[in-house]
Amino acid sequence: MRESLVATGIWLAAFASGAKPAAAQVPAAGAADMAGDWTVDLRPSLDDAAYSQPMSLAVSDDRTLSGEFYGSPILAGRAGTSQGRTCAAFRTEDGSGPYHHSACLVEGRLVGQSWGEGRGFVLAWTAERD
């Protein structure tokens, strides 16, 4: 218990000083696995008619994510690996406002969700590599 409290105190002191926690220091290698072209299945229900959009992702050495989704450039994004998962979060926008997206790489495909802030919806989606 004492060791846990000491570790927490050290982490909090580092965080307060502006240092990044160890989890944020994970190498970019796993994040690079998200790079490439994807077809995103945007059906609200798997019983609905097929509806997909292309997505292209690039991941730099510092885990900055760029590319395009749904015909909009990715304005801000990051990718990383922690707790055994490789995930990304990014933002796009259209005339209705910002869209916030996140996804994790699961068995070779992306499992994600999008929040259309201006349109007031959240949509779960999956993507297959092209």
Side-chain angles (χ1 to χ4, degrees):
M1 173 78 163
R2 177 166 165 52
E3 291 82 11
S4 177
L5 290 173
V6 169
T8 299
I10 291 169
W11 183 86
L12 287 172
F15 183 76
S17 72
K20 292 181 181 177
Q25 310 259 347
V26 175
D33 293 338
M34 298 184 89
D37 295 325
W38 301 85
T39 298
V40 183
D41 182 345
L42 294 168
R43 296 176 292 169
S45 168
L46 296 177
D47 296 329
D48 291 338
Y51 179 66
S52 63
Q53 287 290 315
M55 179 169 62
S56 180
L57 301 177
V59 182
S60 67
D61 288 341
D62 71 352
R63 296 177 311 279
T64 299
L65 187 81
S66 60
E68 187 173 286
F69 179 42
Y70 209 98
S72 296
I74 292 173
L75 302 174
R78 298 289 289 176
T81 300
S82 61
Q83 296 188 12
R85 295 180 298 185
T86 298
C87 301
F90 58 96
R91 182 173 37 90
T92 61
E93 59 183 44
D94 68 7
S96 71
Y99 287 76
H100 308 274
H101 315 277
S102 62
C104 292
L105 192 57
V106 177
E107 297 178 358
R109 59 187 224 165
L110 293 176
V111 177
Q113 60 276 323
S114 295
W115 169 32
E117 188 173 345
R119 297 187 190 270
F121 74 86
V122 172
L123 177 70
W125 49 262
T126 56
E128 300 289 336
R129 195 177 289 280
D130 288 348

